[in-house]
Amino acid sequence: MATTDAQPTAQDEGGHDINDITRRLLESSAKLSYDPATEVDWDTPLDKSFHGMSPEWSSLYGTRYWDELTEDQRKELTRQESGSVASTGIWFEVILQQMVLRDIYAKDPGSPEFQWALTEIADECRHSIMFARGVRKLGAPAYKPRRAVMELGRLFKTLAVGEAAYASILVAEEVLDVMQRDWMRDERVVPFVRTINNIHVVEESRHMKFARDETIKRLEKAGWLRRNVQALVIAICAYFVITSMWNRDVYRNAGLNTERALAEAKENQHHKSMIRSSCSGLMDFLASAKLLTRPAAAVYRRANLL
């Protein structure tokens, strides 16, 4: 429940008042937020001389198949892969919005925490629309996770509470953040994608701060069993989010041999290394929160996050 002047205030791991933190987040949002409808160049036709993401982040970069591709094929592949990552982002942002709304349902609407949560949801709505328009402009379809994963997501958004909800939000956003910081600075990437990535990085930095603080706050009274169960739930969520980012159909839509591309991507140590590097800070946080248990770590390794 939200705090009042007569109640003890909730604090984060550094002993800071949670309402004070959310007030600062609200102030930051008021000063530094973007409207993708006007900030992104939607009108200029797609320039196919650019990549859709930094080539080094392609699932085939460093493989023999990549070496055989023409430059135009590589660019088309990275555009399809960028569309796939963005589509996965939309899927999880919809889950995120529902979890946050459910979490604040009975809280004090006058509290900074409640108002920040609605601000975050508003950001995510804009981001989802931005990603959807970006996918369309890249010439990519609306890539979706496998049906079984979609149904698991439906279950997760209904049942996930507390630290499982907020740490899972953090997992998805941290990985995207590292990738997009590379892409937004890379002049080989089509300009409108760079703008989209810059907007997302700036605004998600506030969301990640809130998710970290909420995760720590929810764990304050967690016993051994709850902590271990939630650690495993978070790891399983991370597994399905990360493994859904590169949809198998990107290869067919880029005009490649799907089976060969899948086989080489599966063994691509360079790509696995890039994914692990994007998660180093996240793994440090999970370890500090005692959420990097042995079973959870096994799941993260299977997803190449450790």
Side-chain angles (χ1 to χ4, degrees):
M1 297 293 293
T3 59
T4 66
D5 291 342
Q7 296 173 314
T9 57
Q11 296 182 329
D12 71 354
E13 60 184 322
H16 302 110
D17 180 354
I18 293 295
N19 276 338
D20 185 50
I21 291 169
T22 49
R23 284 189 195 96
R24 293 201 302 271
L25 290 172
L26 284 166
E27 291 170 1
S28 174
S29 179
K31 293 176 182 176
L32 188 59
S33 290
Y34 298 94
D35 181 359
T38 57
E39 295 287 343
V40 181
D41 180 5
W42 300 114
D43 297 327
T44 301
L46 174 66
D47 186 342
K48 293 189 175 182
S49 66
F50 287 94
H51 285 276
M53 63 167 63
S54 297
E56 292 79 10
W57 279 97
S58 171
S59 60
L60 290 182
Y61 184 88
T63 65
R64 285 186 297 173
Y65 202 178
W66 177 269
D67 292 339
E68 295 173 16
L69 300 179
T70 66
E71 193 60 23
D72 284 346
Q73 286 177 312
R74 292 172 180 172
K75 290 173 180 175
E76 180 60 31
L77 174 61
T78 61
R79 289 194 291 270
Q80 293 297 323
E81 290 178 306
S82 181
S84 179
V85 170
S87 293
T88 303
I90 295 169
W91 167 64
F92 199 77
E93 284 184 341
V94 170
I95 291 175
L96 180 162
Q97 292 169 50
Q98 293 178 74
M99 291 193 298
V100 174
L101 270 176
R102 183 159 46 81
D103 187 55
I104 65 170
Y105 174 74
K107 292 184 177 179
D108 176 8
S111 70
E113 185 177 1
F114 184 96
Q115 292 172 27
W116 164 252
L118 290 183
T119 300
E120 179 169 346
I121 291 166
D123 287 346
E124 298 299 0
C125 286
R126 292 197 308 274
H127 294 168
S128 294
I129 295 169
M130 175 177 71
F131 283 153
R133 294 183 70 178
V135 170
R136 177 69 61 88
K137 186 165 181 175
L138 282 166
Y143 290 107
K144 293 183 179 179
R146 291 177 290 113
R147 178 62 182 270
V149 177
M150 290 286 286
E151 295 307 317
L152 285 171
R154 194 186 304 277
L155 181 66
F156 180 76
K157 71 180 176 59
T158 304
L159 299 178
V161 295
E163 60 274 8
Y166 284 99
S168 297
I169 290 169
L170 187 61
V171 165
E173 300 296 1
E174 284 268 9
V175 176
L176 274 174
D177 183 72
V178 174
M179 285 192 286
Q180 291 180 328
R181 285 178 187 274
D182 280 354
W183 304 354
M184 73 185 195
R185 301 185 185 106
D186 192 338
E187 295 184 356
R188 297 170 296 175
V189 175
V190 66
F192 83 90
V193 170
R194 295 177 63 193
T195 303
I196 287 173
N197 291 331
N198 183 67
I199 291 171
H200 197 248
V201 164
V202 170
E203 297 186 348
E204 288 297 335
S205 65
R206 295 188 287 263
H207 301 180
M208 290 189 291
K209 166 64 176 170
F210 184 64
R212 280 195 179 91
D213 289 330
E214 286 295 307
T215 299
I216 294 298
K217 183 177 74 172
R218 305 307 173 93
L219 283 169
E220 285 176 354
K221 297 180 180 179
W224 180 90
L225 180 60
R226 172 179 156 185
R227 193 179 293 266
N228 277 263
V229 169
Q230 295 288 62
L232 186 57
V233 169
I234 295 160
I236 292 171
C237 175
Y239 175 87
F240 286 117
V241 170
I242 302 306
T243 57
S244 296
M245 284 186 172
W246 273 262
N247 190 294
R248 62 176 290 143
D249 290 341
V250 299
Y251 307 114
R252 182 191 65 205
N253 293 334
L256 307 186
N257 181 307
T258 299
E259 296 309 315
R260 181 183 174 190
L262 283 170
E264 296 208 22
K266 184 178 180 180
E267 301 301 322
N268 189 353
Q269 296 304 315
H270 169 81
H271 191 247
K272 292 177 181 179
S273 175
M274 294 290 282
I275 295 295
R276 282 195 299 271
S277 70
S278 72
C279 295
S280 59
L282 171 65
M283 292 300 137
D284 288 344
F285 170 76
L286 293 175
S288 70
K290 298 181 181 179
L291 290 171
L292 195 57
T293 61
R294 187 173 298 176
V299 177
Y300 290 124
R301 288 192 187 93
R302 187 171 176 81
N304 299 306
L305 302 183
L306 267 179

